[in-house]
Amino acid sequence: MAVDVVSLQDEESRFYGCLGSRSLCGLLPPDAISQAMDQDGVTLLDALREAGLENVPHEALDLSRYRGFLEAHIEQGPHLEAAGNRVGVVDSIVGLGGRRFRFIGEQNHAGTTMMSIRKDAATALFALAQGINDAFSALAGPRSVWTMGRVEVRPGAASIVPGYAELELQYRDPSMAMLDAFEAEVDRLVKEVRSRDQATVEMSASRERIAPVKMDETLRVHLGSAAQKHAPGQWVEMPSGAYHDAGVIAALLPTAMLFIPSIGGVSHDFSENSHDEDIVIGCQVLADATAATLLDN
Amino acid sequence: MAVDVVSLQDEESRFYGCLGSRSLCGLLPPDAISQAMDQDGVTLLDALREAGLENVPHEALDLSRYRGFLEAHIEQGPHLEAAGNRVGVVDSIVGLGGRRFRFIGEQNHAGTTMMSIRKDAATALFALAQGINDAFSALAGPRSVWTMGRVEVRPGAASIVPGYAELELQYRDPSMAMLDAFEAEVDRLVKEVRSRDQATVEMSASRERIAPVKMDETLRVHLGSAAQKHAPGQWVEMPSGAYHDAGVIAALLPTAMLFIPSIGGVSHDFSENSHDEDIVIGCQVLADATAATLLDN
């Protein structure tokens, strides 16, 4: 058996999240390629034409040719560096879900509108957001994270009771049961805020839910053995908090994944980088684990 | 004695809040007129020049000439109409204060940054805002109002832990003691949020505090008697939730104020209006109360 090396395009979703791996696996919706457009209005079809790939047939994964898939990646986080580790063997890729909330109240004068008749969109937003932080903190597992990164309050003036607000929530966990529990809690809290008869609350899914993915046990053992050889005592098993192509390919092939440290934990920035010696260790671990996989009976 | 009728300019602060009454009363800070500029960058000096008022001396209130000041105003709120009243006799103008909060956290990846090491500016904002709503609700008097109308969370993306946020709080009450109690509560809550060692919180006064002002008892009685004559059983004593020129002039002269109903309670909008018959009643009440004041010994 031989080894194929692949560089998968557009994991980060200029056109479509994990475009390369989804295309390779035949997991793209029918119109995804013909409809995709980046935020500057460039269509994927134009980009393919410009790259001279217009008439190149798309690769399809031939499952009979592969024993598994191994992905190497920068951690995009601070954990390995902070603990003095050189390699992370991923045990699972966290799943994620999201909710968008719209609060519809009544815009009014902040001096003359008594509290009892207000329908203040921001008041409802604060109550829901603080409720989510309290409830999720009580439920959370060691790898749960949640974020309310987008908040809009309108019209946004100190002496006007806000008539409209938006909030976006995202939550991630390696366990599907935790994602379910988070969503049940959000449903309960939305009902509670709605029952106050102030601003109304609308809720929708802000994104398609991504299920958590467990990495293949055998491949993880090979990566762990190789890590112990090249970085003895300086490697660790860990979940991936970010999503990766390995999450797509795991649906079809035994899949595992390794991380090397991010300098300063920096990610999604031009200064994102890894030390050369860590890149070398990562390549050695990847090569040894690949060889061990080929030697498996 | 005669009666002077005055229309005071710029109560609403195109250039400076209650510019006309403050100027009349000699209560403007030294540089107010030379420094004032509207939000489009037009200076007050240019506006005076353009209106041909550049060399017109400013009026100064001659206290020896007046027994008091009566102001008539649209309610800018729904109370009179909702209760079927035609006239409101103002007993006090509420005071107000404000606080601006800046939350400085650390912007980070919403997937890979564990909760335990986050410094999420929005989390601190939600905790403070909800704390204020809870604490103020417990303290509030019947005419207390408070508003958090301005909220900014940056960078404002669903999968980025917010590194920076701003919140603005305004509170009003007819009693100085309540304003003091609100501010003490805010101080306590800011300390509590700071003690969590997540995002840091900076607080500053968002505006000069305006003290509540009681209307003159004798003038109120005159307004009430006239209201009972022209709108028997359809008038009420009430505080003013908005600030007015009467609040400035009350520092120098016995002052009182009456309201007529706002149609639909609408204010600060081109559709703000009053019924003609209510305007007539208001004028009659004002005239009778003025006559009664002149006849006082």
Side-chain angles (χ1 to χ4, degrees), chain A residues 9 13 17 50 67 69 80 83 85 91 99 117-118 122-123 134 136 179 181 189 192 218 224 240-241 253 265 275 277:
Chain A
Q9 290 298 302
S13 190
E50 209 160 291
R67 284 204 160 169
F69 172 72
L80 292 175
N85 284 318
D91 50 23
R99 291 286 181 270
I117 61 162
R118 289 191 181 194
T123 299
D134 287 342
F136 281 27
L179 297 182
L189 288 163
E192 193 179 303
T218 305
S240 169
L253 278 179
H275 293 293
E277 51 267 46

Short mmCIF file of all heavy atoms in Angstrom, two decimals, chain A residues 9 13 17 50 67 69 80 83 85 91 99 117-118 122-123 134 136 179 181 189 192 218 224 240-241 253 265 275 277:
data_model
loop_
_atom_site.label_atom_id
_atom_site.label_comp_id
_atom_site.label_asym_id
_atom_site.label_seq_id
_atom_site.Cartn_x
_atom_site.Cartn_y
_atom_site.Cartn_z
N GLN A 9 -8.75 22.09 0.41
CA GLN A 9 -9.02 23.52 0.22
C GLN A 9 -10.19 24.01 1.08
O GLN A 9 -11.16 23.30 1.29
CB GLN A 9 -9.37 23.78 -1.25
CG GLN A 9 -8.19 23.63 -2.19
CD GLN A 9 -7.08 24.63 -1.87
OE1 GLN A 9 -7.30 25.82 -1.88
NE2 GLN A 9 -5.90 24.10 -1.54
N SER A 13 -13.88 28.19 5.00
CA SER A 13 -15.13 28.70 4.46
C SER A 13 -15.05 30.08 3.80
O SER A 13 -15.84 30.96 4.10
CB SER A 13 -16.23 28.72 5.54
OG SER A 13 -17.48 29.00 4.96
N GLY A 17 -17.72 25.89 4.17
CA GLY A 17 -16.90 25.27 5.22
C GLY A 17 -16.48 23.84 4.85
O GLY A 17 -17.31 23.03 4.48
N GLU A 50 -10.98 30.94 -13.08
CA GLU A 50 -9.76 31.76 -13.05
C GLU A 50 -8.53 30.92 -12.71
O GLU A 50 -7.43 31.22 -13.16
CB GLU A 50 -9.94 32.87 -12.02
CG GLU A 50 -9.16 34.12 -12.34
CD GLU A 50 -9.75 35.32 -11.58
OE1 GLU A 50 -10.88 35.73 -11.91
OE2 GLU A 50 -9.08 35.79 -10.66
N ARG A 67 -6.84 2.86 4.33
CA ARG A 67 -7.09 2.30 5.67
C ARG A 67 -7.56 3.38 6.64
O ARG A 67 -8.11 3.06 7.69
CB ARG A 67 -5.78 1.73 6.22
CG ARG A 67 -5.44 0.42 5.59
CD ARG A 67 -4.54 -0.35 6.53
NE ARG A 67 -4.59 -1.76 6.19
CZ ARG A 67 -3.76 -2.66 6.70
NH1 ARG A 67 -2.82 -2.28 7.57
NH2 ARG A 67 -3.87 -3.91 6.35
N PHE A 69 -7.38 8.04 7.61
CA PHE A 69 -6.97 9.41 7.30
C PHE A 69 -6.38 10.03 8.55
O PHE A 69 -6.96 9.96 9.64
CB PHE A 69 -8.20 10.22 6.83
CG PHE A 69 -7.93 11.69 6.65
CD1 PHE A 69 -7.15 12.15 5.59
CD2 PHE A 69 -8.47 12.63 7.53
CE1 PHE A 69 -6.91 13.52 5.42
CE2 PHE A 69 -8.22 13.99 7.37
CZ PHE A 69 -7.45 14.44 6.31
N LEU A 80 -1.19 23.46 24.55
CA LEU A 80 0.06 22.72 24.44
C LEU A 80 1.23 23.56 24.93
O LEU A 80 2.03 23.11 25.75
CB LEU A 80 0.29 22.28 22.97
CG LEU A 80 -0.68 21.22 22.44
CD1 LEU A 80 -0.44 20.97 20.94
CD2 LEU A 80 -0.53 19.92 23.22
N ALA A 83 1.36 24.09 28.74
CA ALA A 83 1.72 22.91 29.54
C ALA A 83 3.10 22.37 29.15
O ALA A 83 3.53 21.34 29.69
CB ALA A 83 0.66 21.83 29.39
N ASN A 85 3.92 21.02 26.30
CA ASN A 85 3.80 19.84 25.43
C ASN A 85 4.15 20.20 23.99
O ASN A 85 4.02 21.34 23.56
CB ASN A 85 2.38 19.28 25.52
CG ASN A 85 2.16 18.51 26.81
OD1 ASN A 85 3.03 17.74 27.23
ND2 ASN A 85 1.01 18.74 27.46
N ASP A 91 -8.58 13.42 20.64
CA ASP A 91 -9.49 12.30 20.93
C ASP A 91 -10.88 12.53 20.33
O ASP A 91 -11.57 11.58 20.00
CB ASP A 91 -9.55 11.97 22.43
CG ASP A 91 -9.81 13.20 23.30
OD1 ASP A 91 -10.36 14.19 22.77
OD2 ASP A 91 -9.45 13.16 24.48
N ARG A 99 -27.74 29.62 18.36
CA ARG A 99 -29.09 30.18 18.40
C ARG A 99 -29.00 31.69 18.19
O ARG A 99 -28.10 32.34 18.71
CB ARG A 99 -29.76 29.93 19.76
CG ARG A 99 -30.11 28.46 20.01
CD ARG A 99 -31.30 28.03 19.19
NE ARG A 99 -31.67 26.65 19.42
CZ ARG A 99 -31.19 25.60 18.73
NH1 ARG A 99 -30.28 25.79 17.78
NH2 ARG A 99 -31.61 24.39 18.98
N ILE A 117 -44.90 49.89 32.31
CA ILE A 117 -45.48 49.71 30.97
C ILE A 117 -44.41 49.57 29.89
O ILE A 117 -44.71 49.47 28.71
CB ILE A 117 -46.41 50.89 30.60
CG1 ILE A 117 -45.62 52.21 30.57
CG2 ILE A 117 -47.58 50.99 31.57
CD1 ILE A 117 -46.36 53.31 29.80
N ARG A 118 -43.13 49.52 30.30
CA ARG A 118 -42.07 49.39 29.30
C ARG A 118 -42.05 48.01 28.67
O ARG A 118 -42.34 47.01 29.33
CB ARG A 118 -40.70 49.63 29.95
CG ARG A 118 -40.48 51.05 30.33
CD ARG A 118 -39.01 51.27 30.70
NE ARG A 118 -38.85 52.67 31.09
CZ ARG A 118 -37.68 53.29 31.21
NH1 ARG A 118 -36.57 52.60 30.99
NH2 ARG A 118 -37.62 54.55 31.55
N ALA A 122 -33.66 45.53 25.53
CA ALA A 122 -32.37 45.24 26.16
C ALA A 122 -32.56 44.53 27.50
O ALA A 122 -31.77 43.65 27.86
CB ALA A 122 -31.58 46.54 26.36
N THR A 123 -33.60 44.90 28.24
CA THR A 123 -33.86 44.23 29.52
C THR A 123 -34.08 42.73 29.31
O THR A 123 -33.56 41.89 30.06
CB THR A 123 -35.09 44.86 30.20
OG1 THR A 123 -34.82 46.24 30.44
CG2 THR A 123 -35.42 44.18 31.51
N ASP A 134 -25.60 31.65 33.70
CA ASP A 134 -25.79 30.93 34.97
C ASP A 134 -26.09 29.45 34.73
O ASP A 134 -25.48 28.57 35.36
CB ASP A 134 -26.96 31.55 35.76
CG ASP A 134 -26.59 32.91 36.35
OD1 ASP A 134 -25.39 33.21 36.45
OD2 ASP A 134 -27.52 33.66 36.71
N PHE A 136 -25.68 27.50 31.99
CA PHE A 136 -24.61 26.73 31.32
C PHE A 136 -23.44 26.47 32.28
O PHE A 136 -22.83 25.41 32.24
CB PHE A 136 -24.11 27.46 30.07
CG PHE A 136 -25.01 27.31 28.85
CD1 PHE A 136 -26.37 27.09 28.98
CD2 PHE A 136 -24.48 27.39 27.57
CE1 PHE A 136 -27.19 26.96 27.86
CE2 PHE A 136 -25.28 27.25 26.44
CZ PHE A 136 -26.64 27.04 26.59
N LEU A 179 -24.70 19.05 24.21
CA LEU A 179 -25.33 20.01 23.28
C LEU A 179 -26.85 19.97 23.44
O LEU A 179 -27.51 21.01 23.45
CB LEU A 179 -24.94 19.69 21.83
CG LEU A 179 -23.45 19.79 21.48
CD1 LEU A 179 -23.23 19.49 19.99
CD2 LEU A 179 -22.87 21.16 21.82
N ALA A 181 -28.49 19.12 26.13
CA ALA A 181 -28.84 19.72 27.42
C ALA A 181 -28.79 21.24 27.35
O ALA A 181 -29.66 21.94 27.88
CB ALA A 181 -27.89 19.21 28.51
N LEU A 189 -35.26 28.84 29.21
CA LEU A 189 -35.01 30.24 29.55
C LEU A 189 -35.78 31.19 28.64
O LEU A 189 -36.28 32.22 29.09
CB LEU A 189 -33.51 30.53 29.47
CG LEU A 189 -32.69 29.91 30.60
CD1 LEU A 189 -31.21 29.87 30.24
CD2 LEU A 189 -32.89 30.70 31.90
N GLU A 192 -39.20 31.38 29.87
CA GLU A 192 -39.25 32.17 31.10
C GLU A 192 -39.26 33.67 30.77
O GLU A 192 -40.06 34.43 31.34
CB GLU A 192 -38.04 31.81 31.96
CG GLU A 192 -38.12 32.29 33.37
CD GLU A 192 -36.87 31.87 34.15
OE1 GLU A 192 -36.58 30.65 34.20
OE2 GLU A 192 -36.17 32.77 34.67
N THR A 218 -7.72 3.01 17.11
CA THR A 218 -6.47 2.39 16.66
C THR A 218 -5.49 3.46 16.16
O THR A 218 -4.30 3.46 16.50
CB THR A 218 -6.75 1.38 15.53
OG1 THR A 218 -7.72 0.43 16.02
CG2 THR A 218 -5.49 0.65 15.12
N GLY A 224 -0.23 8.17 19.43
CA GLY A 224 0.28 8.28 20.79
C GLY A 224 1.64 7.61 20.94
O GLY A 224 2.56 8.17 21.58
N SER A 240 -10.40 18.62 20.12
CA SER A 240 -10.22 19.81 19.31
C SER A 240 -11.42 20.71 19.50
O SER A 240 -12.56 20.31 19.21
CB SER A 240 -10.09 19.44 17.83
OG SER A 240 -10.17 20.61 17.05
N GLY A 241 -11.20 21.93 19.94
CA GLY A 241 -12.29 22.89 20.13
C GLY A 241 -12.74 23.51 18.82
O GLY A 241 -13.82 24.07 18.74
N LEU A 253 -14.08 7.16 6.82
CA LEU A 253 -12.84 6.42 7.05
C LEU A 253 -12.43 6.55 8.51
O LEU A 253 -12.69 7.58 9.13
CB LEU A 253 -11.70 7.04 6.23
CG LEU A 253 -11.53 6.68 4.76
CD1 LEU A 253 -10.34 7.46 4.19
CD2 LEU A 253 -11.28 5.17 4.60
N GLY A 265 -0.47 30.84 21.46
CA GLY A 265 -1.87 30.46 21.33
C GLY A 265 -2.62 31.23 20.24
O GLY A 265 -3.84 31.14 20.13
N HIS A 275 6.85 26.81 16.17
CA HIS A 275 8.31 26.68 16.13
C HIS A 275 8.70 25.59 15.13
O HIS A 275 8.05 24.54 15.05
CB HIS A 275 8.84 26.30 17.52
CG HIS A 275 8.66 27.40 18.53
ND1 HIS A 275 9.33 28.59 18.45
CD2 HIS A 275 7.85 27.48 19.61
CE1 HIS A 275 8.95 29.37 19.46
NE2 HIS A 275 8.05 28.71 20.18
N GLU A 277 11.04 23.41 15.19
CA GLU A 277 11.32 22.10 15.79
C GLU A 277 10.02 21.35 16.12
O GLU A 277 9.99 20.12 16.06
CB GLU A 277 12.23 22.22 17.03
CG GLU A 277 11.77 23.24 18.05
CD GLU A 277 12.40 24.62 17.86
OE1 GLU A 277 12.46 25.14 16.72
OE2 GLU A 277 12.80 25.22 18.88
#
